[in-house]
Amino acid sequence: MLFPLTNSMRRAVLRWLSLLRVCGVPRAQVLLTHHPRYADLTPMQYAEALAWLRRVGMVTGNTASEAALSAVPLVKRSEGDEEERRKVGEAGERALLRLLGGHRLPHVRHVAAESDAYGYDIEAAWSHARPFHLEVKSTTDPTRLVVHLTRHECDVMMADRDWCLAAVLVGVEGEALSVVTVDTRWLMSAVPADRAKEGRWESARLLVPVSAMSPGLSIGARALLRREQLPNRPVWGFAGSTALLDA
């Protein structure tokens, strides 16, 4: 039973069981003690968690028991999940396009409708001289902001000073309930690093902290949406975050 464990020990136990679905103890131990994803706990905590699993009979030899593994849900990505994510993404892009149009920007172009090669979804500007290149990430979850960044999007971000990531909270009617800009410097620090020339990451899932969000749309001193034009509503951890009503 897991209830006597501390929170950190419980996390370590669940990570062991999750990894033991796909590999043995030696491989799981290497991942837990060397991979940056698991660095919030110490090697000693992982060792104590493994010892506890052995004591209660949930791990024998180099494998976990079937009963132990049944306590950890196996998450599989379905075609339905991918389709739902695609629909939310498209809804966010449409909502942001309507919002930009409502602010009467003279230059708005939905480049994602033309090609995926740009590395962003919308080009918008008050003048042709300096456009914003908006990569739009959309969600229906108001409690946290999770974005999925592709390698191509990341490469464009690194090279394009006018690129920025706009996160849109999509309402039930497809409207934009909130829009924030995710700090590019934070994104650059959060994406994975290739550790060998034989392998490279292609997609990253990032949980964005409140400290990396700015209400509205802006790059430095330049802004497309003025913060003061937008009412406040708690979302994504903000005590009073920008929310867009009647977008």
Side-chain angles (χ1 to χ4, degrees):
M1 299 178 66
L2 298 182
F3 65 85
L5 301 178
T6 64
N7 287 336
S8 58
M9 183 69 83
R10 185 179 294 110
R11 288 204 309 274
V13 163
L14 290 174
R15 287 172 184 177
W16 270 111
L17 294 178
S18 180
L19 288 172
L20 289 175
R21 283 186 177 277
V22 295
C23 63
V25 167
R27 175 60 177 162
Q29 190 166 29
V30 169
L31 288 170
L32 290 171
T33 56
H34 291 86
H35 197 287
R37 173 187 288 183
Y38 307 113
D40 58 321
L41 299 179
T42 67
M44 179 61 71
Q45 287 173 307
Y46 288 120
E48 290 174 351
L50 178 60
W52 184 88
L53 286 166
R54 292 190 189 280
R55 283 198 304 272
V56 299
M58 298 176 75
V59 172
T60 58
N62 283 334
T63 60
S65 69
E66 291 186 9
L69 293 178
S70 66
V72 181
L74 181 60
V75 178
K76 295 182 178 179
R77 186 175 293 175
S78 67
E79 291 184 5
D81 293 335
E82 292 292 338
E83 177 64 14
E84 180 63 23
R85 203 166 92 182
R86 184 187 65 78
K87 288 181 178 179
V88 172
E90 292 178 351
E93 290 176 26
R94 291 194 297 269
L96 188 54
L97 286 165
R98 289 195 299 272
L99 186 65
L100 295 170
H103 281 66
R104 293 179 171 81
L105 265 74
H107 307 288
V108 178
R109 179 183 170 199
H110 191 198
V111 298
E114 304 169 14
S115 172
D116 293 329
Y118 288 91
Y120 54 90
D121 300 305
I122 297 172
E123 183 176 281
W126 291 105
S127 71
H128 280 302
R130 193 76 185 275
F132 280 66
H133 296 154
L134 303 173
E135 172 57 34
V136 183
K137 300 298 182 183
S138 310
T139 181
T140 57
D141 185 352
T143 64
R144 62 176 186 166
L145 177 57
V146 176
V147 301
H148 293 79
L149 194 71
T150 69
R151 182 58 176 259
H152 178 54
E153 291 162 356
C154 180
D155 289 343
V156 173
M157 171 183 70
M158 297 288 188
D160 183 355
R161 65 174 181 165
D162 296 319
W163 186 100
C164 73
L165 193 150
V168 180
L169 177 64
V170 181
V172 293
E173 301 297 328
E175 72 277 29
L177 295 179
S178 185
V179 174
V180 300
T181 303
V182 178
D183 184 67
T184 301
R185 290 171 298 180
W186 179 85
L187 286 168
M188 290 180 177
S189 69
V191 294
D194 295 331
R195 297 185 176 275
K197 63 181 181 180
E198 294 83 5
R200 52 177 273 149
W201 68 272
E202 292 296 335
S203 179
R205 177 184 180 276
L206 306 174
L207 176 60
V208 184
V210 177
S211 59
M213 304 181 209
S214 299
L217 286 179
S218 61
I219 301 177
R222 295 190 298 138
L224 279 178
L225 301 177
R226 296 182 180 87
R227 180 172 180 168
E228 61 271 16
Q229 293 177 309
L230 310 171
N232 290 329
R233 173 181 295 178
V235 68
W236 294 330
F238 283 112
S241 169
T242 299
L244 305 176
L245 305 179
D246 302 323

